Amino acid sequence: MPDVRVSCLGCGGDIVITDLNVPEGVIARGDRFMHEGCVLNSEAESSRYEVGVPAYLLPRGR
């Protein structure tokens, strides 16, 4: 079976999958792949949605 190249969700770098085996140092979930060092804390904080309140805050002057 030919090698398959996928992109890391964190850094966008190449991850090469050979013989349907994920290489060491790569975390795979379904069809998503990340290097262990690129794992992000993507757990969203729960907060109540309020109309008129932005989902993010930009510092003044930017």
Side-chain angles (χ1 to χ4, degrees):
M1 175 168 266
D3 293 349
V4 177
R5 289 189 179 274
V6 295
S7 295
C8 172
L9 289 176
C11 69
D14 282 344
I15 298 173
V16 179
I17 300 173
T18 57
D19 299 326
L20 298 179
N21 290 320
V22 177
E24 241 182 87
V26 173
I27 297 172
R29 174 75 61 156
D31 62 347
R32 297 170 293 173
F33 299 87
M34 287 182 83
H35 296 109
E36 286 179 348
C38 296
V39 175
L40 307 173
N41 181 7
S42 59
E43 184 178 329
E45 291 185 22
S46 303
S47 61
R48 211 168 119 198
Y49 175 75
E50 296 180 37
V51 175
V53 176
Y56 52 87
L57 179 64
L58 293 176
R60 289 186 175 256
R62 291 197 171 202

